[in-house]
Amino acid sequence: MKKILITGGAGFIGSHVVRRFIKNYPDYEIINLDKLTYAGNLLNLTDVSGSRNYKFIKGDITDVEFINELFQLEKPDAVIHLAAESHVDRSISNPMEFVMTNVIGTVSLLNAAKECWKGNYANHRFYHVSTDEVYGTLGETGLFTEATAYDPHSPYSASKASSDHFVRAYHDTYGLDVVISNCSNNYGSCHFPEKLIPLAINNIRNNQPVPVYGKGENVRDWLWVEDHASAIDTIFHQAVSGETYNIGGHNEWKNIDLIRLLCNIMDQKLGRSAGESAALITYVTDRAGHDLRYAIDSTKLQNELGWTPSLQFEEGLSKTVDWYLENEEWLENVTSGHYQDYYRQQYEYNEL
Ligand code: NAD
Ligand code: TYD
């Protein structure tokens, strides 16, 4: 019997990881620790929340006393740490929150794990889920490997880079068993509509302008979220302590090309005439410090641990659009209230 503490399990990726572990490992006890910020949503887990091997705890990873008590009480065998502030645009307007959650929160968990597991580090594991954005930006060519030097540009990526360094420091200094993965952009169901793909789906659905930053030339490497969850499963169970793995889909898209493809898919699904959705595309002021291109070399993960992505992008995007169109209530729920204030502040004044 293994007890696994998953942080941020009510968020986008975390909910897919929680579901996968509940279903694939019925002999594990899964504890989901989440503060339920605007991005955390227990509706993401309604299909599995009644499972015998699942427990939800509401709590803040930056609350050092609470985290220490939780470790002493639950004595988890392992941690899979996903809780974070995750949106670059929010990090530009409120960097301090990112330092608190992503840096202080991670160190608070590492410290509690260090104390709780003292004398027996070999039988415990701290898995830190990170991002390819720590590597900074690529030019027209090249790929991020695990050896690429860190060069973060946004407050979000700087805070994730800092947390990665702390995780490695706890391995090198105290001997904690840690693993880190750095993944490219994810897409799929339960993605909060502040990120490009779900925001665009929601706006197209509502016949609202689809904001494209700058000229739409920036490139991202998109991976289906369930493939990320399967990579996390593989790495959690098979990785050597202290190692880092890049996760990616070999699936680079310029933002504008991706949005055009999405518009075509939505025209078909909504019974609109060709080009109707694309007419909503609106170029807006570029993001400050906008990284030009991310692209992942995941050879190490594929060669050493045998992981490969399962889904082609066009199929994944089509499935994702279906999910949002079938779950309008979920969308209505998360876009009411504070979302409207966020949207107004982020987009009202910057149309080009
Ligand atoms: P998300 O914003 O959807 O979810 C984050 C979750 O963390 C939410 O449920 C939120 O309530 C919780 N949380 C936030 N602050 C907390 C705190 N102080 N205490 C406890 N819980 C807290 O994020 P996501 O997209 O699911 O990303 C999950 C992880 O994966 C993050 O660490 C992110 O950096 C990383 N990542 C994301 C992507 C991506 O494309 N979304 C890609 C690579 C890596
Ligand atoms: P996003 O989904 O925020 O992920 P990240 O910044 O972590 O890569 O953005 C993906 C790309 O889409 C990025 O280049 C910024 C761009 N973008 C837009 O053009 N318009 C938008 O409204 C948003 C949210 C993002």
Side-chain angles (χ1 to χ4, degrees), residues 207-237:
N207 267 308
Q208 296 295 318
V210 177
V212 172
Y213 295 164
K215 294 183 175 147
E217 302 272 301
N218 303 67
V219 174
R220 297 293 182 263
D221 182 353
W222 294 92
L223 180 71
W224 190 42
V225 64
E226 293 189 34
D227 281 331
H228 189 188
S230 91
I232 289 174
D233 186 346
T234 301
I235 292 167
F236 176 73
H237 287 102

PDB file of all heavy atoms in Angstrom, residues 207-237:
ATOM      1  N   ASN A 207     -18.869  33.761 -30.075  1.00  0.00           N
ATOM      2  CA  ASN A 207     -18.725  34.789 -31.103  1.00  0.00           C
ATOM      3  C   ASN A 207     -18.034  36.048 -30.600  1.00  0.00           C
ATOM      4  O   ASN A 207     -18.395  37.172 -30.983  1.00  0.00           O
ATOM      5  CB  ASN A 207     -20.101  35.168 -31.672  1.00  0.00           C
ATOM      6  CG  ASN A 207     -20.397  34.339 -32.901  1.00  0.00           C
ATOM      7  OD1 ASN A 207     -19.577  34.279 -33.820  1.00  0.00           O
ATOM      8  ND2 ASN A 207     -21.543  33.682 -32.900  1.00  0.00           N
ATOM      9  N   GLN A 208     -17.031  35.863 -29.746  1.00  0.00           N
ATOM     10  CA  GLN A 208     -16.243  36.984 -29.214  1.00  0.00           C
ATOM     11  C   GLN A 208     -14.897  37.035 -29.936  1.00  0.00           C
ATOM     12  O   GLN A 208     -14.428  36.003 -30.441  1.00  0.00           O
ATOM     13  CB  GLN A 208     -15.976  36.775 -27.716  1.00  0.00           C
ATOM     14  CG  GLN A 208     -17.213  36.767 -26.845  1.00  0.00           C
ATOM     15  CD  GLN A 208     -17.915  38.104 -26.840  1.00  0.00           C
ATOM     16  OE1 GLN A 208     -17.266  39.149 -26.767  1.00  0.00           O
ATOM     17  NE2 GLN A 208     -19.239  38.075 -26.964  1.00  0.00           N
ATOM     18  N   PRO A 209     -14.231  38.208 -29.956  1.00  0.00           N
ATOM     19  CA  PRO A 209     -12.900  38.291 -30.584  1.00  0.00           C
ATOM     20  C   PRO A 209     -11.934  37.270 -29.989  1.00  0.00           C
ATOM     21  O   PRO A 209     -11.959  37.009 -28.788  1.00  0.00           O
ATOM     22  CB  PRO A 209     -12.440  39.715 -30.249  1.00  0.00           C
ATOM     23  CG  PRO A 209     -13.674  40.473 -29.925  1.00  0.00           C
ATOM     24  CD  PRO A 209     -14.684  39.495 -29.404  1.00  0.00           C
ATOM     25  N   VAL A 210     -11.095  36.688 -30.851  1.00  0.00           N
ATOM     26  CA  VAL A 210     -10.068  35.737 -30.395  1.00  0.00           C
ATOM     27  C   VAL A 210      -8.738  36.486 -30.385  1.00  0.00           C
ATOM     28  O   VAL A 210      -8.178  36.788 -31.443  1.00  0.00           O
ATOM     29  CB  VAL A 210      -9.984  34.513 -31.343  1.00  0.00           C
ATOM     30  CG1 VAL A 210      -8.870  33.569 -30.898  1.00  0.00           C
ATOM     31  CG2 VAL A 210     -11.322  33.789 -31.387  1.00  0.00           C
ATOM     32  N   PRO A 211      -8.218  36.821 -29.188  1.00  0.00           N
ATOM     33  CA  PRO A 211      -7.021  37.675 -29.112  1.00  0.00           C
ATOM     34  C   PRO A 211      -5.740  36.904 -29.422  1.00  0.00           C
ATOM     35  O   PRO A 211      -5.424  35.912 -28.776  1.00  0.00           O
ATOM     36  CB  PRO A 211      -7.013  38.145 -27.645  1.00  0.00           C
ATOM     37  CG  PRO A 211      -7.796  37.113 -26.902  1.00  0.00           C
ATOM     38  CD  PRO A 211      -8.724  36.438 -27.859  1.00  0.00           C
ATOM     39  N   VAL A 212      -4.999  37.375 -30.421  1.00  0.00           N
ATOM     40  CA  VAL A 212      -3.698  36.778 -30.759  1.00  0.00           C
ATOM     41  C   VAL A 212      -2.630  37.824 -30.468  1.00  0.00           C
ATOM     42  O   VAL A 212      -2.686  38.948 -30.986  1.00  0.00           O
ATOM     43  CB  VAL A 212      -3.660  36.362 -32.248  1.00  0.00           C
ATOM     44  CG1 VAL A 212      -2.260  35.914 -32.657  1.00  0.00           C
ATOM     45  CG2 VAL A 212      -4.674  35.245 -32.505  1.00  0.00           C
ATOM     46  N   TYR A 213      -1.662  37.458 -29.610  1.00  0.00           N
ATOM     47  CA  TYR A 213      -0.632  38.416 -29.198  1.00  0.00           C
ATOM     48  C   TYR A 213       0.342  38.678 -30.346  1.00  0.00           C
ATOM     49  O   TYR A 213       0.802  37.740 -31.009  1.00  0.00           O
ATOM     50  CB  TYR A 213       0.158  37.882 -28.005  1.00  0.00           C
ATOM     51  CG  TYR A 213      -0.637  37.714 -26.716  1.00  0.00           C
ATOM     52  CD1 TYR A 213      -0.138  36.935 -25.680  1.00  0.00           C
ATOM     53  CD2 TYR A 213      -1.856  38.346 -26.517  1.00  0.00           C
ATOM     54  CE1 TYR A 213      -0.839  36.774 -24.492  1.00  0.00           C
ATOM     55  CE2 TYR A 213      -2.560  38.198 -25.332  1.00  0.00           C
ATOM     56  CZ  TYR A 213      -2.058  37.407 -24.320  1.00  0.00           C
ATOM     57  OH  TYR A 213      -2.740  37.245 -23.150  1.00  0.00           O
ATOM     58  N   GLY A 214       0.694  39.960 -30.532  1.00  0.00           N
ATOM     59  CA  GLY A 214       1.679  40.341 -31.552  1.00  0.00           C
ATOM     60  C   GLY A 214       1.206  39.910 -32.928  1.00  0.00           C
ATOM     61  O   GLY A 214       0.060  40.145 -33.312  1.00  0.00           O
ATOM     62  N   LYS A 215       2.124  39.234 -33.647  1.00  0.00           N
ATOM     63  CA  LYS A 215       1.764  38.791 -35.006  1.00  0.00           C
ATOM     64  C   LYS A 215       1.361  37.333 -35.016  1.00  0.00           C
ATOM     65  O   LYS A 215       1.171  36.742 -36.099  1.00  0.00           O
ATOM     66  CB  LYS A 215       2.952  39.005 -35.944  1.00  0.00           C
ATOM     67  CG  LYS A 215       3.296  40.472 -36.136  1.00  0.00           C
ATOM     68  CD  LYS A 215       4.438  40.607 -37.132  1.00  0.00           C
ATOM     69  CE  LYS A 215       4.698  42.085 -37.408  1.00  0.00           C
ATOM     70  NZ  LYS A 215       6.098  42.354 -37.665  1.00  0.00           N
ATOM     71  N   GLY A 216       1.308  36.702 -33.855  1.00  0.00           N
ATOM     72  CA  GLY A 216       0.926  35.283 -33.797  1.00  0.00           C
ATOM     73  C   GLY A 216       2.039  34.362 -34.271  1.00  0.00           C
ATOM     74  O   GLY A 216       1.807  33.210 -34.619  1.00  0.00           O
ATOM     75  N   GLU A 217       3.282  34.896 -34.276  1.00  0.00           N
ATOM     76  CA  GLU A 217       4.426  34.126 -34.821  1.00  0.00           C
ATOM     77  C   GLU A 217       5.075  33.224 -33.779  1.00  0.00           C
ATOM     78  O   GLU A 217       5.942  32.420 -34.124  1.00  0.00           O
ATOM     79  CB  GLU A 217       5.506  35.094 -35.329  1.00  0.00           C
ATOM     80  CG  GLU A 217       5.036  36.053 -36.395  1.00  0.00           C
ATOM     81  CD  GLU A 217       5.171  35.467 -37.784  1.00  0.00           C
ATOM     82  OE1 GLU A 217       6.289  35.137 -38.148  1.00  0.00           O
ATOM     83  OE2 GLU A 217       4.145  35.338 -38.482  1.00  0.00           O
ATOM     84  N   ASN A 218       4.713  33.395 -32.509  1.00  0.00           N
ATOM     85  CA  ASN A 218       5.366  32.599 -31.457  1.00  0.00           C
ATOM     86  C   ASN A 218       4.993  31.137 -31.594  1.00  0.00           C
ATOM     87  O   ASN A 218       3.872  30.804 -31.981  1.00  0.00           O
ATOM     88  CB  ASN A 218       4.963  33.137 -30.078  1.00  0.00           C
ATOM     89  CG  ASN A 218       5.301  34.603 -29.942  1.00  0.00           C
ATOM     90  OD1 ASN A 218       4.701  35.427 -30.634  1.00  0.00           O
ATOM     91  ND2 ASN A 218       6.260  34.932 -29.127  1.00  0.00           N
ATOM     92  N   VAL A 219       5.963  30.275 -31.253  1.00  0.00           N
ATOM     93  CA  VAL A 219       5.785  28.840 -31.462  1.00  0.00           C
ATOM     94  C   VAL A 219       5.749  28.114 -30.119  1.00  0.00           C
ATOM     95  O   VAL A 219       6.576  28.377 -29.243  1.00  0.00           O
ATOM     96  CB  VAL A 219       6.958  28.278 -32.307  1.00  0.00           C
ATOM     97  CG1 VAL A 219       6.887  26.760 -32.423  1.00  0.00           C
ATOM     98  CG2 VAL A 219       6.965  28.919 -33.689  1.00  0.00           C
ATOM     99  N   ARG A 220       4.782  27.217 -29.969  1.00  0.00           N
ATOM    100  CA  ARG A 220       4.702  26.365 -28.783  1.00  0.00           C
ATOM    101  C   ARG A 220       4.616  24.913 -29.243  1.00  0.00           C
ATOM    102  O   ARG A 220       4.144  24.626 -30.349  1.00  0.00           O
ATOM    103  CB  ARG A 220       3.475  26.725 -27.926  1.00  0.00           C
ATOM    104  CG  ARG A 220       3.494  28.148 -27.351  1.00  0.00           C
ATOM    105  CD  ARG A 220       4.603  28.300 -26.331  1.00  0.00           C
ATOM    106  NE  ARG A 220       4.659  29.613 -25.689  1.00  0.00           N
ATOM    107  CZ  ARG A 220       5.458  30.600 -26.072  1.00  0.00           C
ATOM    108  NH1 ARG A 220       6.250  30.464 -27.128  1.00  0.00           N
ATOM    109  NH2 ARG A 220       5.487  31.741 -25.391  1.00  0.00           N
ATOM    110  N   ASP A 221       5.041  23.985 -28.358  1.00  0.00           N
ATOM    111  CA  ASP A 221       5.117  22.550 -28.659  1.00  0.00           C
ATOM    112  C   ASP A 221       4.026  21.880 -27.821  1.00  0.00           C
ATOM    113  O   ASP A 221       4.168  21.759 -26.605  1.00  0.00           O
ATOM    114  CB  ASP A 221       6.534  22.088 -28.246  1.00  0.00           C
ATOM    115  CG  ASP A 221       6.811  20.635 -28.517  1.00  0.00           C
ATOM    116  OD1 ASP A 221       5.892  19.896 -28.902  1.00  0.00           O
ATOM    117  OD2 ASP A 221       7.976  20.226 -28.326  1.00  0.00           O
ATOM    118  N   TRP A 222       2.919  21.477 -28.455  1.00  0.00           N
ATOM    119  CA  TRP A 222       1.713  21.104 -27.700  1.00  0.00           C
ATOM    120  C   TRP A 222       1.625  19.601 -27.435  1.00  0.00           C
ATOM    121  O   TRP A 222       1.813  18.784 -28.334  1.00  0.00           O
ATOM    122  CB  TRP A 222       0.467  21.568 -28.454  1.00  0.00           C
ATOM    123  CG  TRP A 222       0.381  23.063 -28.520  1.00  0.00           C
ATOM    124  CD1 TRP A 222       0.859  23.868 -29.510  1.00  0.00           C
ATOM    125  CD2 TRP A 222      -0.159  23.943 -27.522  1.00  0.00           C
ATOM    126  NE1 TRP A 222       0.640  25.192 -29.205  1.00  0.00           N
ATOM    127  CE2 TRP A 222       0.013  25.269 -27.989  1.00  0.00           C
ATOM    128  CE3 TRP A 222      -0.779  23.755 -26.281  1.00  0.00           C
ATOM    129  CZ2 TRP A 222      -0.404  26.389 -27.277  1.00  0.00           C
ATOM    130  CZ3 TRP A 222      -1.198  24.863 -25.565  1.00  0.00           C
ATOM    131  CH2 TRP A 222      -1.010  26.167 -26.062  1.00  0.00           C
ATOM    132  N   LEU A 223       1.276  19.264 -26.193  1.00  0.00           N
ATOM    133  CA  LEU A 223       1.137  17.855 -25.787  1.00  0.00           C
ATOM    134  C   LEU A 223      -0.232  17.658 -25.144  1.00  0.00           C
ATOM    135  O   LEU A 223      -0.666  18.470 -24.309  1.00  0.00           O
ATOM    136  CB  LEU A 223       2.238  17.504 -24.770  1.00  0.00           C
ATOM    137  CG  LEU A 223       2.229  16.072 -24.248  1.00  0.00           C
ATOM    138  CD1 LEU A 223       2.668  15.098 -25.349  1.00  0.00           C
ATOM    139  CD2 LEU A 223       3.142  15.919 -23.026  1.00  0.00           C
ATOM    140  N   TRP A 224      -0.903  16.566 -25.521  1.00  0.00           N
ATOM    141  CA  TRP A 224      -2.199  16.233 -24.923  1.00  0.00           C
ATOM    142  C   TRP A 224      -2.000  15.950 -23.436  1.00  0.00           C
ATOM    143  O   TRP A 224      -1.090  15.206 -23.057  1.00  0.00           O
ATOM    144  CB  TRP A 224      -2.779  15.003 -25.624  1.00  0.00           C
ATOM    145  CG  TRP A 224      -4.190  14.691 -25.268  1.00  0.00           C
ATOM    146  CD1 TRP A 224      -5.219  15.575 -25.111  1.00  0.00           C
ATOM    147  CD2 TRP A 224      -4.748  13.401 -25.047  1.00  0.00           C
ATOM    148  NE1 TRP A 224      -6.381  14.924 -24.808  1.00  0.00           N
ATOM    149  CE2 TRP A 224      -6.119  13.582 -24.765  1.00  0.00           C
ATOM    150  CE3 TRP A 224      -4.220  12.100 -25.068  1.00  0.00           C
ATOM    151  CZ2 TRP A 224      -6.969  12.517 -24.489  1.00  0.00           C
ATOM    152  CZ3 TRP A 224      -5.075  11.042 -24.803  1.00  0.00           C
ATOM    153  CH2 TRP A 224      -6.429  11.249 -24.520  1.00  0.00           C
ATOM    154  N   VAL A 225      -2.865  16.528 -22.604  1.00  0.00           N
ATOM    155  CA  VAL A 225      -2.667  16.458 -21.157  1.00  0.00           C
ATOM    156  C   VAL A 225      -2.638  15.010 -20.636  1.00  0.00           C
ATOM    157  O   VAL A 225      -1.900  14.693 -19.703  1.00  0.00           O
ATOM    158  CB  VAL A 225      -3.735  17.312 -20.417  1.00  0.00           C
ATOM    159  CG1 VAL A 225      -5.145  16.771 -20.650  1.00  0.00           C
ATOM    160  CG2 VAL A 225      -3.437  17.409 -18.938  1.00  0.00           C
ATOM    161  N   GLU A 226      -3.390  14.108 -21.265  1.00  0.00           N
ATOM    162  CA  GLU A 226      -3.382  12.722 -20.775  1.00  0.00           C
ATOM    163  C   GLU A 226      -2.065  12.030 -21.110  1.00  0.00           C
ATOM    164  O   GLU A 226      -1.650  11.082 -20.437  1.00  0.00           O
ATOM    165  CB  GLU A 226      -4.588  11.947 -21.314  1.00  0.00           C
ATOM    166  CG  GLU A 226      -5.877  12.506 -20.719  1.00  0.00           C
ATOM    167  CD  GLU A 226      -7.113  11.677 -21.021  1.00  0.00           C
ATOM    168  OE1 GLU A 226      -7.001  10.447 -21.094  1.00  0.00           O
ATOM    169  OE2 GLU A 226      -8.193  12.281 -21.188  1.00  0.00           O
ATOM    170  N   ASP A 227      -1.381  12.513 -22.163  1.00  0.00           N
ATOM    171  CA  ASP A 227      -0.036  12.004 -22.445  1.00  0.00           C
ATOM    172  C   ASP A 227       0.962  12.528 -21.410  1.00  0.00           C
ATOM    173  O   ASP A 227       1.912  11.825 -21.048  1.00  0.00           O
ATOM    174  CB  ASP A 227       0.396  12.358 -23.873  1.00  0.00           C
ATOM    175  CG  ASP A 227      -0.224  11.417 -24.902  1.00  0.00           C
ATOM    176  OD1 ASP A 227      -0.501  10.249 -24.542  1.00  0.00           O
ATOM    177  OD2 ASP A 227      -0.463  11.844 -26.049  1.00  0.00           O
ATOM    178  N   HIS A 228       0.752  13.765 -20.944  1.00  0.00           N
ATOM    179  CA  HIS A 228       1.603  14.270 -19.858  1.00  0.00           C
ATOM    180  C   HIS A 228       1.391  13.415 -18.601  1.00  0.00           C
ATOM    181  O   HIS A 228       2.351  13.015 -17.939  1.00  0.00           O
ATOM    182  CB  HIS A 228       1.279  15.741 -19.579  1.00  0.00           C
ATOM    183  CG  HIS A 228       2.242  16.412 -18.627  1.00  0.00           C
ATOM    184  ND1 HIS A 228       2.037  17.675 -18.133  1.00  0.00           N
ATOM    185  CD2 HIS A 228       3.397  15.983 -18.057  1.00  0.00           C
ATOM    186  CE1 HIS A 228       3.030  18.006 -17.313  1.00  0.00           C
ATOM    187  NE2 HIS A 228       3.870  16.989 -17.244  1.00  0.00           N
ATOM    188  N   ALA A 229       0.136  13.113 -18.307  1.00  0.00           N
ATOM    189  CA  ALA A 229      -0.160  12.285 -17.117  1.00  0.00           C
ATOM    190  C   ALA A 229       0.493  10.901 -17.251  1.00  0.00           C
ATOM    191  O   ALA A 229       1.024  10.360 -16.272  1.00  0.00           O
ATOM    192  CB  ALA A 229      -1.674  12.155 -16.920  1.00  0.00           C
ATOM    193  N   SER A 230       0.493  10.345 -18.455  1.00  0.00           N
ATOM    194  CA  SER A 230       1.108   9.024 -18.625  1.00  0.00           C
ATOM    195  C   SER A 230       2.628   9.121 -18.483  1.00  0.00           C
ATOM    196  O   SER A 230       3.277   8.222 -17.940  1.00  0.00           O
ATOM    197  CB  SER A 230       0.700   8.388 -19.965  1.00  0.00           C
ATOM    198  OG  SER A 230       1.600   8.709 -20.993  1.00  0.00           O
ATOM    199  N   ALA A 231       3.217  10.247 -18.928  1.00  0.00           N
ATOM    200  CA  ALA A 231       4.665  10.443 -18.746  1.00  0.00           C
ATOM    201  C   ALA A 231       4.991  10.575 -17.256  1.00  0.00           C
ATOM    202  O   ALA A 231       5.990  10.014 -16.774  1.00  0.00           O
ATOM    203  CB  ALA A 231       5.125  11.688 -19.505  1.00  0.00           C
ATOM    204  N   ILE A 232       4.155  11.298 -16.527  1.00  0.00           N
ATOM    205  CA  ILE A 232       4.383  11.470 -15.077  1.00  0.00           C
ATOM    206  C   ILE A 232       4.313  10.107 -14.380  1.00  0.00           C
ATOM    207  O   ILE A 232       5.141   9.790 -13.518  1.00  0.00           O
ATOM    208  CB  ILE A 232       3.347  12.469 -14.490  1.00  0.00           C
ATOM    209  CG1 ILE A 232       3.674  13.887 -14.977  1.00  0.00           C
ATOM    210  CG2 ILE A 232       3.317  12.397 -12.966  1.00  0.00           C
ATOM    211  CD1 ILE A 232       2.644  14.952 -14.598  1.00  0.00           C
ATOM    212  N   ASP A 233       3.367   9.286 -14.766  1.00  0.00           N
ATOM    213  CA  ASP A 233       3.227   7.926 -14.230  1.00  0.00           C
ATOM    214  C   ASP A 233       4.533   7.137 -14.478  1.00  0.00           C
ATOM    215  O   ASP A 233       5.111   6.536 -13.558  1.00  0.00           O
ATOM    216  CB  ASP A 233       2.030   7.273 -14.949  1.00  0.00           C
ATOM    217  CG  ASP A 233       1.666   5.908 -14.410  1.00  0.00           C
ATOM    218  OD1 ASP A 233       2.471   5.323 -13.669  1.00  0.00           O
ATOM    219  OD2 ASP A 233       0.580   5.404 -14.757  1.00  0.00           O
ATOM    220  N   THR A 234       5.006   7.172 -15.710  1.00  0.00           N
ATOM    221  CA  THR A 234       6.233   6.443 -16.080  1.00  0.00           C
ATOM    222  C   THR A 234       7.428   6.944 -15.275  1.00  0.00           C
ATOM    223  O   THR A 234       8.189   6.154 -14.702  1.00  0.00           O
ATOM    224  CB  THR A 234       6.516   6.638 -17.594  1.00  0.00           C
ATOM    225  OG1 THR A 234       5.400   6.157 -18.326  1.00  0.00           O
ATOM    226  CG2 THR A 234       7.767   5.900 -18.023  1.00  0.00           C
ATOM    227  N   ILE A 235       7.596   8.253 -15.232  1.00  0.00           N
ATOM    228  CA  ILE A 235       8.770   8.834 -14.551  1.00  0.00           C
ATOM    229  C   ILE A 235       8.690   8.556 -13.050  1.00  0.00           C
ATOM    230  O   ILE A 235       9.683   8.170 -12.423  1.00  0.00           O
ATOM    231  CB  ILE A 235       8.849  10.353 -14.838  1.00  0.00           C
ATOM    232  CG1 ILE A 235       9.170  10.576 -16.320  1.00  0.00           C
ATOM    233  CG2 ILE A 235       9.885  11.022 -13.947  1.00  0.00           C
ATOM    234  CD1 ILE A 235       8.961  12.001 -16.798  1.00  0.00           C
ATOM    235  N   PHE A 236       7.495   8.727 -12.474  1.00  0.00           N
ATOM    236  CA  PHE A 236       7.328   8.498 -11.034  1.00  0.00           C
ATOM    237  C   PHE A 236       7.778   7.087 -10.653  1.00  0.00           C
ATOM    238  O   PHE A 236       8.471   6.887  -9.663  1.00  0.00           O
ATOM    239  CB  PHE A 236       5.853   8.712 -10.647  1.00  0.00           C
ATOM    240  CG  PHE A 236       5.577   8.404  -9.195  1.00  0.00           C
ATOM    241  CD1 PHE A 236       6.012   9.271  -8.196  1.00  0.00           C
ATOM    242  CD2 PHE A 236       4.888   7.255  -8.826  1.00  0.00           C
ATOM    243  CE1 PHE A 236       5.771   8.985  -6.859  1.00  0.00           C
ATOM    244  CE2 PHE A 236       4.640   6.967  -7.495  1.00  0.00           C
ATOM    245  CZ  PHE A 236       5.088   7.829  -6.506  1.00  0.00           C
ATOM    246  N   HIS A 237       7.400   6.120 -11.485  1.00  0.00           N
ATOM    247  CA  HIS A 237       7.687   4.724 -11.133  1.00  0.00           C
ATOM    248  C   HIS A 237       9.067   4.253 -11.564  1.00  0.00           C
ATOM    249  O   HIS A 237       9.612   3.328 -10.968  1.00  0.00           O
ATOM    250  CB  HIS A 237       6.614   3.801 -11.735  1.00  0.00           C
ATOM    251  CG  HIS A 237       5.294   3.905 -11.025  1.00  0.00           C
ATOM    252  ND1 HIS A 237       4.229   4.618 -11.515  1.00  0.00           N
ATOM    253  CD2 HIS A 237       4.903   3.394  -9.840  1.00  0.00           C
ATOM    254  CE1 HIS A 237       3.225   4.533 -10.666  1.00  0.00           C
ATOM    255  NE2 HIS A 237       3.598   3.807  -9.632  1.00  0.00           N
TER     256      HIS A 237
END
